Structure formats: structure tokens, C-alpha cells
Amino acid sequence: MIIHANQTFKKSVICLALSSTFTVNSSVLAEEAVSKEYGIERIEVTGSRRASTVQETPINITALDADVMKDQNITQLSDVARWVPGLTIQDQGGLENSPIIVRGLNTNSSGPDSDGETVATYIGEIPLFVDMKIIDVERVEVLIGPQGTLYGAGTLGGAIRYLPNKPVLDETSGSIYGDVFNLAHSDDVGSEVGFVFNTPLIDNTLGLRIAFNYLDEPGYVDYAYTVKEGGVSLPDPDWSDSAAVGQNIKRVDDANSEQATTARIMLRWQPNDIIDTTLSYFYQQQDIGGRSIVHANSLNSSNPLSTIVGDYDSAYRYLESAEHENSLISLEVTVDLGFAELTSATGFSKSELNTKRDQTDLLIALALGYEEFPAFSAFTRDDSETETITQEIRLVSTNDSVVSWIAGAFYNKFENKNTSKEFTPYLDQYAVDNWGGSQLRPDALEYIGVYESEITESALFGELSYQATEQLSFTLGARFYQYDVKSVSAADTPLYYTVFEGAGADEIILDFEKISADDDGNLFKFNMSYQFNDDVLAYATVSEGVRIGGSNGIVPCTAEEIASDQQALCALPHEVLYTADTTTNYELGFKSTWFVNQLHFNAALFLVKWDDAQIDGATVKGEQSFTSNAGSAESKGIEISSRAMLSESLIAYATYAYTHAKLTDDAPYLFGVPDDLNDTSFDAYDGDRLPGSPEQQVSFGLTYSTEILDDKLLDVNYGLTYQSDIYSKVGLRDYGEKIPGYALSNISARVSGDEWSVTLYVDNMFDKYAYTSVRENYGYITSGVTTGADIQRKYGHYLITPRKIGLRFDYMFDM
């Protein structure tokens, strides 16, 4: 059989790209092979704000194109991370944005309250922190290492850019697709449908592009022990009595389902060769049935539930569901001025997140006697609304001089409002009957907290590059930033005041406190690169990143509240504000191509210094979440990638990353302030390993392509990804645990014609059961550590998605 090299490689590299020409630390996952003699054409990237290729750009950047993502069934950011050395996503399902960690830069415990914003995500030119479903995307670029000069605050570890396909002005085309799949341990069948449509409205001048996707993903975690009616049903009946269980408990199978609608509309106007304008609207709506948390091996041994809870069972008393809506309107304009290209990017985004949480265990842990009420259970409704305005203007020189430059200005205004309402059904009646309460509180509102903030960030930035010789070049970059934070917050415990203090039955008193903070600073970057020949490039980089500080939005404690032993909802002086944290990255790397472009080998060595690291914690008074600053930490390691074309039909690729991240200073009171200040159990120490990411990551892939049935193409793709163990707490202290590492295998077979393709795929082929992260810690189930430890269910583990078998059909058309 004769195999046409250009066609074969066009299809097969789609899968193989998952490690290809890595920019030193990253897998250059996205280069299409089109040369008739095994050559791999490099994909264009713009992460440096200039059009270049991955191999020619002396920074750490990974690019995955649409074909790569289709063949590897990459549909979300957690899938991307498996193929990018140094990037970790703690996949926690769709209920919240999963923490993104680059090179181990993380101090927080695993779980939904962790702060993962050491990496900024962009849709086009606009920063937007959203786990976007990847539809109709030209490519995803991952920049590893601090990107503070060109991308600004929030890029301590790096930046991730989703680059949508823009309207094509001279053709009417599109595609439709459908996917049917089954998840192991689920009773339902999942599906996904979507389409892309492109058409010129005015030929060669005005074009329209529409992309739509609907995902119906079944759950695989059963909420097997929810109460039928809060405050009436016993959350812990006699589990050996089936009648008692049936009277009080209901089971919700496959609860962690997700229905997501994602859409994008783009209008592009290009009246001439000078002006190019794109107006975009992005929308995503997600309905999440429950968290992907299970309680197998996560309950106190004295709890009868511990012997009957299954591997895929959640023991929460209430469904922890969510509705999440995101939208973005953006306008991107580029103008060729001759000497430079002017880019203006304007964005307005909105986000609404409504969640429900089982709050029973937190209240029991406060040791205020809630557990005395046999039917006690509590839940919280959190409502968050955010609005963001972004404007960036930059000039990028376009002349052929040995000196080139970038200059720009950035403005961002972020406003949010959070309301948290905690309900304890029928606790008022129990308090009146047993604790001397005087009246009922019909709405059962035990706590309400309101927090509003406005963060304004502005910056001037630029880079200056000098081509000293044909081989040697230097780049200096700087960013000068300033930010202001204004916030107001208030909290009340209405049920207590109604039941015991004579307040009105629906009265709420919110005494708002205003808090403000501001700061300014500068960031620098130095890059030197040397092109030994056409195939070998080496570079050295020193770059800085920053994440702004601010207010925790918690009412400061009064002197009386500080002195009192009674519980209060307030912040001690050191819990009110937190400062900016910064990183400095030192990196040496090279990119190389061998044997007439049939072998790529790339590597990078790095050292990242992290100062004043922001950490999550809980206030002493009321255990409210807050952010503070620890001491210093560092991360160092190596990242390697290689790819080989073994024959016209077979391609192999592999990546490896080693990351050692640790504290470099003692961190007293990292896990809270003890009653006895001589108690060191709340401290962490110099040398303690940081949590949340593995020390070792490996990926390996094979792609085999051949012609079948005379003119059809068969692509068989196999991928293996592995990560070593993860710590849930710094140094395994404060009841931290080591989350075991795991390996996943994916395989797919795709048959394609000129206009269609059919793909059979299996993800997590061997149905591996493994944890991605942990919620809270096992201290919550250890007898004597907290009140009611034998009945608590706060501690649990997030699961990886079980085996997924699917069949996908794609049809492309031109008109």
C-alpha cells in the first residue's frame, strides 16, 4: 500500500503533537506535519505579542491546535494539563473553577476553598477566569513561568490563552458534530451536540461566525444519604433499621451531572489591509447537580455509615449543586500604522454563581451545641455576581530594525457582590422547646454575610529587544502597576437574635464596615537567546510576576469581641487585609531539531522564588474563609519533551517534568492561631513540601496512521499520562495526607473521509479509581479533635472521571 506522507502526517500529528516541539518546558502540542519528507511545519503563536512559531520563540509556550484537541478528546482545561509538563489542574468537576497550579506554586490545602489564581486565563485578548468548554478554538497557548510584564497581575505562574477561530471573510462553511458516550458507574447515557457556521455578509469585508455546543454529561457519584426534609428527618438514623432509613433518608443517583450550554458569536470587519476589527459575544451556562466528592474511607470509624458507604457514594445531607453563568462582550481592533501595529482590546464580562452547600459539619465543629438537636442539619446558599471592564492598548513595532519594541497601557475594573445565607431548618423550634428561646424564626436564617468589593488595576508596560548579532538577541521588559481595593462587608445571625433577643421574626441588621487598600510596584524581565544554527536555540530568562493584595471583606473584631470567649463573626487585626505576593523566575532552556526534522528534543531548568505567598485559612472567630500571607517558598526542577517520527505511519512522543516546591522560611500559624501561642502544631517549616501538585509528571503517546478502504484514513491514537503523589497540606502537617499518584490510558480510532469522520474513543481505559484532591482533612473525623467527630462528613475526596466510552461523528461542509 502506498501511503501519502503529507496526508498521513496531517492526520496523525494531530495526536502526536501532544509533546512535540516544546518550548523548553512545555509540550509543543500542536504542529501540523505537512512536508512530504517528514518535516513538521511549526505552528504560529502570538504569546509574545508577536507572530512567531513555537520553536523560534525564546519563551516557554505550548500550543495545542483544534485537531490535536479533537483527536485527544481534549474538551476542558484539565485535559490540557495532562500533556503540559509543569501544569497541574486539580480537577474538581464543574461546580467550581478547579485550582490551576504551575510549577508547584501553591500553599493552600486542596479543596473547593483553595485559591488557584496564580495563573491568568484569557479568551482572546481579554482576561477572564472561567473554565471554558473548548469549542471552535484555533488553539490554546500555555505560557509557563511568570508573565508579569506583558500580561500583568495574576500571572505568578503563567498565563493560558484560548484563541477562538475568527470569521473567514471569503467562504461559507461549517461543521456539525455529535457525541454519545457512557461513563462507568453511571446509569445514564451522555451526549454532546454542536455546530459551527461561518459566512461572509459582505464578501471579503464583513463576516459572521457562530459556534454552539450543548453537553449533557451524566453523573457517577451517588448522594446516597441526603435528608428528606431538613430539620425533620434524622440525618443519622439507625442505619441498621431499614424502616428508619427509608423514613428519613433519600438517595439521589448519579448526582454530579452537568448540563452546559456554550455559544460564541463573532462579527469581523476588515474594510482594507490596514484595519481588522472583531466584535465577539461569548456565553456559557452550567447546571451542576453535585460535587464529585466521595466519602469512602473518609468517615470516622465509629460512624456506622463508614461500613456501608460505597466507593462512589457521597454522604452529604444536602445536594451540593450549582448554577454558573458567564458572558463576555469584547471588541478587538488592530490597525497597521506602518511603523507599528496598534491593538485595542475592550471587554465587559459578567458572571453569576449560585451554589448550595451542606453546612452541617461546620456548625457542629464550632462546639455550640447544634448537635444536641437530633434532626439538626444546615445548608448554605452562596450567591455571587461579578462584573469586569478591561481595556488594553498596545503598540508593537513592525520594522526590520535591529531594535524592536512593545509599549502599552492596561486598565481593569472588577466589581463583585457575594451573599452567603446559612439556614438551620426547625432549629428555632428546638431552641424554644429546649434552650429557653422566646419566639420562632420562620425562615430559619441562622447567618447572613454580605461582601461587596471594587478592585481597580492600571498599568504601563513595555519590552525593548535588541538583535546584537544574527545569533544573539536581548530583551528587557517592565511593567509599572497600581491598584486600589475598596470593600464593604457586614454579617448578622438573625435566628439567634430573633429566638433569644426579641428581634423581629424576619429582621436582619447589617452594619457595613468599609475597608480599603492600595499599592503600586514594578515588574521586570530579562531574556537572552542564542541561535546556534537553524535547528538549535538556547535562551535564558529572568521574569517577575505579581498577584495583587486586598481586603478579606470580614468585619473587624471589636476589643470586646477579641477579649470574649464567645463565638463571633469577625476578623482579628491580622485577618483583615493581605498584601501582594510576587515571584521571580530564573530559567535556562533550549529547543532542538535533529535528523532532518524527524526528532525534537527540548529541555528547561528553572528556579522560582516566591515571596509573601498568599494562603487560605479560617478566622479564629467564626471560622470564616480568609486570605493571609506566609513567608517565602521556591520551586525548582526540569522539564523535558521529545518526539520522534519512527516511520511514515508511526510517531512516538514523550514528556517528563520534575518539580520540587518547598517553603524556604518557617511559617508560624500557617493553619490558624492556637489558644496557646506555644503550640507549634499550627506551624509549617523551612523545607516543607508545598501541596497540590506532583513532583513527577510523565506522558507518552503513539500515533499510527494508514489508508483503508482505498481512500479513507485510519488514525489510532494511544496516550498514557502519569503523575506522582500530591500533598494535601504543606509538609503533610495539620492532618495533611499524601494523595497517591496514578496513570491514565486513553485510546481512540478514527476513520475519516474528505468531509466526515467517525471516532470511537475510550478515556481512562482501565477505569482507574483515583483521587485528584481532598476536601478539608481527616482531623474532622478523628475522635476528640472536634465536637461530634463521629457524625461529621465534611472530609472527603474528589474523584477522577471513571472510564468513558464514546462514539463521535463530525461532518464538515463548504458552500
Side-chain angles (χ1 to χ4, degrees):
M1 178 184 294
I2 297 176
I3 299 176
H4 302 288
N6 59 334
Q7 183 184 26
T8 299
F9 289 141
K10 170 77 174 180
K11 300 294 185 180
S12 63
V13 85
I14 279 170
C15 181
L16 121 282
L18 294 176
S19 81
S20 37
T21 33
F22 283 49
T23 49
V24 180
N25 89 335
S26 305
S27 53
V28 162
L29 303 177
E31 298 188 350
E32 292 189 71
V34 296
S35 169
K36 294 182 179 180
E37 296 182 359
Y38 308 122
I40 303 172
E41 182 181 3
R42 286 124 174 116
I43 190 171
E44 182 178 278
V45 292
T46 56
S48 65
R49 300 306 193 189
R50 296 180 183 277
S52 182
T53 67
V54 173
Q55 288 295 91
E56 297 169 337
T57 307
I59 62 174
N60 291 330
I61 184 171
T62 298
L64 296 82
D65 73 3
D67 289 333
V68 172
M69 292 183 285
K70 179 185 293 184
D71 275 19
Q72 289 300 321
N73 201 26
I74 294 174
T75 61
Q76 55 191 357
L77 195 53
S78 58
D79 299 327
V80 172
R82 300 188 194 281
W83 298 97
V84 179
L87 177 64
T88 302
I89 308 291
Q90 293 183 356
D91 189 5
Q92 298 178 352
L95 195 132
E96 52 259 322
N97 290 322
S98 300
I100 306 172
I101 302 170
V102 169
R103 291 180 170 173
L105 298 180
N106 179 59
T107 57
N108 298 318
S109 306
S110 304
D113 296 327
S114 295
D115 184 356
E117 297 180 14
T118 60
V119 179
T121 55
Y122 283 72
I123 296 182
E125 298 285 350
I126 306 300
L128 182 66
F129 190 62
V130 58
D131 190 0
M132 186 186 78
K133 304 298 180 184
I134 299 176
I135 66 164
D136 194 33
V137 170
E138 179 183 353
R139 66 184 181 274
V140 176
E141 295 182 3
V142 182
L143 291 86
I144 298 292
Q147 305 294 325
T149 52
L150 291 183
Y151 290 91
T155 57
L156 282 176
I160 298 171
R161 306 175 68 213
Y162 300 95
L163 298 170
N165 285 306
K166 290 187 176 182
V168 180
L169 302 180
D170 59 356
E171 69 176 37
T172 297
S173 62
S175 64
I176 57 175
Y177 57 87
D179 190 357
V180 178
F181 57 89
N182 171 260
L183 289 178
H185 315 286
S186 177
D187 296 329
D188 298 323
V189 175
S191 61
E192 184 174 14
V193 295
F195 70 85
V196 177
F197 179 70
N198 182 99
T199 187
L201 301 178
I202 301 177
D203 197 26
N204 296 315
T205 302
L206 185 67
L208 173 70
R209 191 176 186 93
I210 302 173
F212 173 84
N213 185 85
Y214 177 75
L215 170 68
D216 184 4
E217 186 165 69
Y220 51 88
V221 173
D222 300 330
Y223 276 57
Y225 308 99
T226 62
V227 294
K228 286 187 173 180
E229 183 178 359
V232 175
S233 304
L234 298 177
D236 285 281
D238 182 353
W239 297 106
S240 63
D241 185 344
S242 59
V245 172
Q247 182 179 354
N248 294 279
I249 301 299
K250 64 179 178 181
R251 180 185 183 94
V252 182
D253 291 334
D254 302 331
N256 64 325
S257 60
E258 177 180 1
Q259 289 77 45
T261 300
T262 306
R264 183 186 300 109
I265 302 174
M266 306 179 78
L267 192 64
R268 184 182 185 186
W269 180 55
Q270 193 174 14
N272 49 48
D273 294 335
I274 297 175
I275 299 174
D276 191 350
T277 301
T278 303
L279 178 66
S280 303
Y281 175 72
F282 163 78
Y283 175 83
Q284 183 166 283
Q285 166 71 42
Q286 296 168 274
D287 293 311
I288 315 297
R291 282 195 172 94
S292 304
I293 295 178
V294 295
H295 288 93
N297 305 311
S298 300
L299 300 174
N300 188 285
S301 59
S302 64
N303 188 337
L305 265 182
S306 65
T307 62
I308 60 176
V309 66
D311 286 345
Y312 289 88
D313 284 351
S314 167
Y316 290 131
R317 303 160 187 84
Y318 295 93
L319 282 175
E320 295 202 327
S321 57
E323 296 178 359
H324 198 184
E325 183 177 70
N326 288 279
S327 63
L328 168 66
I329 299 175
S330 63
L331 177 65
E332 299 177 13
V333 180
T334 60
V335 181
D336 186 353
L337 301 178
F339 68 96
E341 182 179 78
L342 171 67
T343 299
S344 172
T346 307
F348 174 72
S349 63
K350 295 182 65 176
S351 176
E352 294 185 10
L353 176 61
N354 309 111
T355 63
K356 182 178 180 180
R357 292 183 285 121
D358 183 352
Q359 196 74 334
T360 312
D361 296 313
L362 175 63
L363 295 181
I364 291 175
L366 295 178
L368 297 178
Y370 290 101
E371 70 280 1
E372 295 177 14
F373 176 26
F376 175 72
S377 62
F379 64 91
T380 293
R381 293 192 181 277
D382 294 312
D383 300 316
S384 174
E385 299 179 10
T386 66
E387 293 186 357
T388 306
I389 298 174
T390 301
Q391 175 65 57
E392 179 171 302
I393 297 177
R394 67 175 180 272
L395 284 168
V396 179
S397 65
T398 56
N399 54 41
D400 294 328
S401 169
V402 296
V403 176
S404 58
W405 49 269
I406 299 173
F410 176 82
Y411 173 83
N412 183 270
K413 183 179 181 180
F414 173 84
E415 297 179 306
N416 79 318
K417 179 179 180 180
N418 297 299
T419 302
S420 181
K421 295 181 178 180
E422 190 174 274
F423 298 92
T424 52
Y426 295 102
L427 180 63
D428 57 340
Q429 184 66 64
Y430 185 83
V432 169
D433 295 341
N434 298 275
W435 293 340
S438 59
Q439 61 177 328
L440 301 179
R441 176 85 191 191
D443 62 7
L445 182 60
E446 195 268 349
Y447 165 81
I448 180 172
V450 178
Y451 171 62
E452 300 180 20
S453 70
E454 177 184 293
I455 302 174
T456 303
E457 177 193 356
S458 56
L460 298 174
F461 63 90
E463 287 190 354
L464 183 66
S465 299
Y466 174 59
Q467 190 74 40
T469 69
E470 289 186 0
Q471 292 81 29
L472 182 64
S473 65
F474 299 91
T475 297
L476 290 175
R479 190 180 190 95
F480 302 92
Y481 66 89
Q482 189 272 336
Y483 67 85
D484 295 282
V485 179
K486 300 177 182 178
S487 68
V488 295
S489 61
D492 189 24
T493 51
L495 188 142
Y496 171 81
Y497 285 106
T498 295
V499 174
F500 295 105
E501 301 294 337
D506 59 356
E507 185 175 356
I508 297 174
I509 300 176
L510 295 174
D511 185 12
F512 286 91
E513 292 279 345
K514 296 182 179 180
I515 302 172
S516 62
D518 62 84
D519 198 4
D520 57 53
N522 51 70
L523 301 169
F524 293 97
K525 170 185 174 181
F526 171 76
N527 177 271
M528 177 179 69
S529 64
Y530 191 84
Q531 191 80 49
F532 289 93
N533 53 49
D534 291 341
D535 296 323
V536 180
L537 170 70
Y539 72 83
T541 297
V542 179
S543 60
E544 295 181 322
V546 67
R547 176 171 50 178
I548 65 175
S551 164
N552 281 308
I554 304 174
V555 178
C557 295
T558 64
E560 292 78 12
E561 288 173 327
I562 294 175
S564 173
D565 292 334
Q566 296 297 316
Q567 192 57 248
L569 300 169
C570 61
L572 297 177
H574 72 281
E575 299 170 340
V576 175
L577 300 173
Y578 58 96
T579 61
D581 54 351
T582 58
T583 52
T584 304
N585 178 62
Y586 305 89
E587 185 167 333
L588 294 172
F590 74 91
K591 311 172 188 180
S592 63
T593 302
W594 306 90
F595 307 118
V596 195
N597 204 24
Q598 295 183 59
L599 172 68
H600 292 157
F601 186 85
N602 306 279
L605 292 169
F606 65 88
L607 170 65
V608 183
K609 297 286 189 179
W610 191 8
D611 294 317
D612 298 319
Q614 293 177 15
I615 61 169
D616 286 344
T619 60
V620 174
K621 301 287 187 177
E623 293 197 15
Q624 300 177 88
S625 296
F626 83 108
T627 301
S628 63
N629 296 89
S632 61
E634 72 172 24
S635 174
K636 57 185 177 182
I638 185 171
E639 292 147 350
I640 299 172
S641 67
S642 66
R643 178 178 65 175
M645 294 185 175
L646 304 179
S647 71
E648 290 186 351
S649 300
L650 186 63
I651 304 171
Y653 47 95
T655 71
Y656 173 76
Y658 173 77
T659 304
H660 182 60
K662 65 178 182 178
L663 290 180
T664 53
D665 276 335
D666 292 346
Y669 313 139
L670 181 63
F671 307 109
V673 180
D675 294 332
D676 179 3
L677 297 184
N678 293 318
D679 181 359
T680 61
S681 63
F682 289 76
D683 300 345
Y685 298 95
D686 182 2
D688 282 350
R689 176 180 160 184
L690 300 185
S693 62
E695 287 194 329
Q696 299 188 71
Q697 292 173 285
V698 177
S699 68
F700 172 77
L702 287 172
T703 295
Y704 176 77
S705 298
T706 187
E707 287 185 357
I708 62 173
L709 303 176
D710 295 330
D711 61 348
K712 303 301 183 291
L713 188 66
L714 170 66
D715 296 306
V716 179
N717 305 300
Y718 172 74
L720 172 69
T721 59
Y722 166 79
Q723 66 176 43
S724 61
D725 62 70
I726 290 175
Y727 280 17
S728 68
K729 289 285 188 76
V730 174
L732 294 182
R733 302 184 187 279
D734 190 40
Y735 300 99
E737 67 181 280
K738 184 184 294 185
I739 302 171
Y742 58 89
L744 298 178
S745 291
N746 299 333
I747 193 168
S748 68
R750 179 184 180 188
V751 178
S752 56
D754 292 335
E755 297 177 334
W756 58 268
S757 66
V758 177
T759 305
L760 175 65
Y761 64 88
V762 184
D763 295 338
N764 190 2
M765 184 166 56
F766 301 109
D767 197 22
K768 178 68 176 178
Y769 184 90
Y771 303 140
T772 65
S773 55
V774 60
R775 187 179 192 181
E776 300 299 345
N777 60 69
Y778 65 83
Y780 278 92
I781 65 168
T782 304
S783 296
V785 174
T786 57
T787 301
D790 58 330
I791 62 172
Q792 290 194 2
R793 313 177 194 177
K794 191 173 186 179
Y795 167 62
H797 293 90
Y798 285 93
L799 278 185
I800 65 169
T801 303
R803 181 176 54 236
K804 180 179 182 179
I805 301 176
L807 185 67
R808 180 184 175 95
F809 174 78
D810 294 82
Y811 176 74
M812 296 161 285
F813 60 88
D814 292 303
M815 299 174 62

